[in-house]
Amino acid sequence: MLEIDFIPAFKDNYIWLLRRGDRAAVVDPGDAAPVMARLQADGLRLEAILVTHHHADHQGGVAALAEYWPATVFGPADESIIGCSRPLSGGERIDVLGQEFEVLAVPGHTAGHIAYRMPGAVFCGDTLFGAGCGRLFEGTPGQMAESLARLSALPDDTLIYCAHEYTAANLDFAAAVEPGNAAIRRRIAQVAEARQAGRSTVPSTLAEEKATNPFLRCSEPAVAAAARQRDPAAKDPVSVFAAIRAWKNVF
Ligand code: ZN
Ligand code: FE
């Protein structure tokens, strides 16, 4: 069994640590120092580095880690990842610590963003967050909506390993979009309790996201109605998504 844990980095990043015995892999090491400290403390050997997209808070530690460890560096073929030894495109399958992962193309936050899926879990970087989604720095609303639909089509019990602890702030926005959604109110209480106790709110399940994440709920009449208050032209799910995403940017 692959064990999954996180290494906190910067203000709110999660670097995911995968381990099997003394073998380890990390996802999106934006900073090498906390990863090195953890590998040494736990007596782990780093075999693989998985990068979802080119932003510095996701790949800033790759060069230093790959210099110290003979690790395979997986990353999106369409982006510039320093030291990438195995460029990937959507649909490819790779082996990490004896576990098969499927690569999903999820452009939108960046143009070449990829996610890594194994049975029961997906490492989705800055595409899907707890109750939110990434900003559209390089992609179009249509691309991001399609990427979120791709993630949304995974089994409901899939664990969503995103790269930031943004859930509480995202839920405040979700409640503004859907004031009548009881699942959002319940999740706000759960997340507040978890954060007060110092616990992570990641991973969530896809089922939780489908019930509370406005960006996965653009076909819901309540979300479409809220979008139309911002943009009267918002009708189809993509234009609803675009209106909600633009609103979140200024929320
Ligand atoms: Zn990013
Ligand atoms: Fe990020």
Side-chain angles (χ1 to χ4, degrees):
M1 266 296 282
L2 214 54
E3 284 174 63
I4 304 173
D5 196 0
F6 65 81
I7 299 167
F10 308 118
K11 184 165 156 275
D12 50 33
N13 279 71
Y14 290 128
I15 298 170
W16 295 102
L17 171 66
L18 317 180
R19 53 200 288 180
R20 186 192 298 277
D22 67 350
R23 305 165 62 194
V26 287
V27 183
D28 283 350
D31 191 1
V35 175
M36 290 294 278
R38 180 66 177 274
L39 293 172
Q40 273 155 12
D42 289 4
L44 298 169
R45 290 182 292 124
L46 187 66
E47 288 186 12
I49 299 171
L50 284 65
V51 179
T52 62
H53 67 292
H54 67 83
H55 286 159
D57 64 310
H58 298 254
Q59 69 151 323
V62 171
L65 290 170
E67 193 173 308
Y68 191 87
W69 302 92
T72 305
V73 180
F74 298 93
D78 295 341
E79 297 194 355
S80 167
I81 308 296
I82 297 156
C84 183
S85 55
R86 182 74 168 80
L88 298 169
S89 302
E92 286 194 71
R93 288 171 191 275
I94 58 172
D95 182 282
V96 178
L97 309 179
Q99 172 67 56
E100 185 181 75
F101 283 77
E102 181 191 357
V103 178
L104 305 178
V106 288
H109 177 67
T110 60
H113 200 303
I114 58 174
Y116 298 88
R117 182 207 172 187
M118 60 179 243
V122 65
F123 297 87
C124 56
D126 287 356
T127 299
L128 179 62
F129 289 127
C133 77
R135 280 176 187 262
L136 304 184
F137 285 117
E138 298 170 12
T140 64
Q143 278 180 321
M144 188 60 146
E146 197 181 321
S147 296
L148 293 173
R150 189 163 293 136
L151 294 172
S152 203
L154 297 174
D156 269 352
D157 60 359
T158 303
L159 294 170
I160 308 298
Y161 289 92
C162 62
H164 291 272
E165 178 63 59
Y166 288 161
T167 318
N170 285 341
L171 281 168
D172 289 343
F173 177 70
V177 175
E178 284 188 275
N181 182 326
I184 292 174
R185 285 200 297 275
R186 281 196 299 275
R187 194 174 180 193
I188 285 173
Q190 287 163 3
V191 163
E193 196 188 315
R195 296 307 291 154
Q196 258 157 30
R199 290 197 309 272
S200 167
T201 69
V202 184
S204 55
T205 65
L206 181 59
E208 274 182 276
E209 297 307 329
K210 283 175 164 178
T212 59
N213 190 323
F215 299 103
L216 298 186
R217 296 173 59 75
C218 293
S219 300
E220 293 291 323
V223 176
R228 272 193 292 279
Q229 294 197 331
R230 314 292 301 185
D231 176 3
K235 286 200 176 63
D236 61 289
V238 172
S239 58
V240 168
F241 172 78
I244 299 285
R245 185 57 257 184
W247 178 10
K248 174 68 166 63
N249 290 347
V250 296
F251 184 75

